[in-house]
Amino acid sequence: ISNKNGSYCELTAMYWAWKNIKKIYPNLYYIGLSHYRRLFDFNHPYAIQDKYIYNENNIIDYKTDVHSLLSILDKYDVITTKRKYYSYPIYIDYCINHISDDFRILRHIISEKTPEYSDTFNKVLMENNAFAPYNMNIIRWETFNDYCTWLFYILAETEKQINISNYNAVQKRIFGYMAERLWNVYFIKHKLKAKHLPISLYINDIHTTPLSVQKHQVELKHGCSC
């Protein structure tokens, strides 16, 4: 589904792995997904903050701590990102930043196509104010296979009912955004014991400008100083 990268985002790589990677590595036991600039930070397993920001040039120094990785997987079913917290339920955040009708369609499809997930969907997204973002995880292959079977079925059914042809580039990332929420529904529904790690975020525009100046620049950019 690489031609759908604009709306499925990192899920196109995830889909490829689901369909192909066992042909290359038939004895694969664990599988994980990170991003080109978001990687699990094994150096701060007990951190309160959800990310550590580095200049992208430092990504060459990134190494996976295999000992820490295996010790975590001995105790947990899944490694995923630290939760982001909001002052309102997760569905409100989705409706503020994306298309609210799309969320209602997704909720209806869950209740219609996989009703066994409805209670968890409501609990995680309608009543809860935190979720683990970015579609990042490390899990056993069997769990990954089961999750992908459910996830891509739900997204395909949702895609049939939503016309995104007039969406801007941000809103066209719809299925990546939905999957971030659905991943939380899945691992909570299946009572997977999760270790939440912060991420290392590598970017090429780390600002040294004072925050007050940055704020003023943003206000001017948007034509507003209120």
Side-chain angles (χ1 to χ4, degrees):
I1 59 171
S2 58
N3 63 319
K4 297 183 179 183
N5 183 257
S7 57
Y8 275 76
C9 312
E10 60 275 0
L11 300 182
T12 57
M14 184 173 161
Y15 185 91
W16 181 92
W18 177 41
K19 294 295 186 180
N20 295 282
I21 203 166
K22 269 288 197 176
K23 301 171 188 174
I24 304 170
Y25 303 105
N27 297 321
L28 184 75
Y29 190 77
Y30 287 108
I31 187 168
L33 177 68
S34 290
H35 298 198
Y36 69 96
R37 64 189 181 98
R38 292 189 185 103
L39 304 168
F40 284 110
D41 191 326
F42 292 96
N43 295 319
H44 303 92
Y46 305 108
I48 295 175
Q49 65 192 76
D50 64 336
K51 60 180 171 287
Y52 291 83
I53 300 176
Y54 305 96
N55 187 285
E56 69 173 0
N57 294 327
N58 298 124
I59 199 167
I60 194 171
D61 298 322
Y62 178 87
K63 292 181 177 64
T64 300
D65 185 335
V66 177
H67 176 75
S68 296
L69 172 61
L70 293 177
S71 66
I72 292 171
L73 292 172
D74 279 342
K75 301 173 185 176
Y76 294 88
D77 300 313
V78 59
I79 296 173
T80 191
T81 55
K82 291 189 75 68
R83 294 182 178 95
K84 293 180 68 174
Y85 289 85
Y86 298 86
S87 56
Y88 35 71
I90 297 306
Y91 86 96
I92 294 291
D93 172 70
Y94 189 95
C95 293
I96 289 172
N97 292 290
H98 308 296
I99 311 299
S100 58
D101 282 346
D102 295 348
F103 187 89
R104 284 187 277 272
I105 290 170
L106 175 63
R107 188 183 185 194
H108 174 73
I109 286 171
I110 291 288
S111 65
E112 182 181 65
K113 302 295 184 180
T114 56
E116 66 275 17
Y117 282 86
S118 286
D119 286 348
T120 308
F121 183 94
N122 291 333
K123 176 183 177 182
V124 172
L125 302 182
M126 308 299 292
E127 303 170 10
N128 171 58
N129 72 327
F131 82 109
Y134 308 130
N135 290 314
M136 290 172 58
N137 54 59
I138 301 174
I139 49 181
R140 287 188 290 272
W141 168 261
E142 291 78 10
T143 306
F144 176 78
N145 182 54
D146 184 69
Y147 170 56
C148 287
T149 301
W150 174 73
L151 174 69
F152 287 107
Y153 169 67
I154 292 299
L155 294 181
E157 291 298 312
T158 306
E159 191 175 10
K160 292 175 185 177
Q161 297 192 31
I162 299 174
N163 179 5
I164 66 171
S165 60
N166 292 321
Y167 285 15
N168 63 30
V170 172
Q171 298 305 336
K172 278 187 176 178
R173 298 168 66 88
I174 172 175
F175 303 114
Y177 296 137
M178 286 182 171
E180 286 184 280
R181 280 77 179 173
L182 292 175
W183 161 238
N184 288 257
V185 173
Y186 179 87
F187 79 75
I188 292 174
K189 161 69 176 174
H190 291 275
K191 297 181 171 62
L192 300 181
K193 187 178 180 182
K195 174 61 177 177
H196 295 270
L197 287 180
I199 64 166
S200 296
L201 176 61
Y202 294 86
I203 58 178
N204 62 5
D205 58 351
I206 296 176
H207 295 291
T208 56
T209 310
L211 288 177
S212 60
V213 176
Q214 289 181 39
K215 180 175 183 291
H216 181 63
Q217 290 172 341
V218 169
E219 290 168 348
L220 291 176
K221 179 181 178 182
H222 291 276
C224 172
S225 58
C226 54

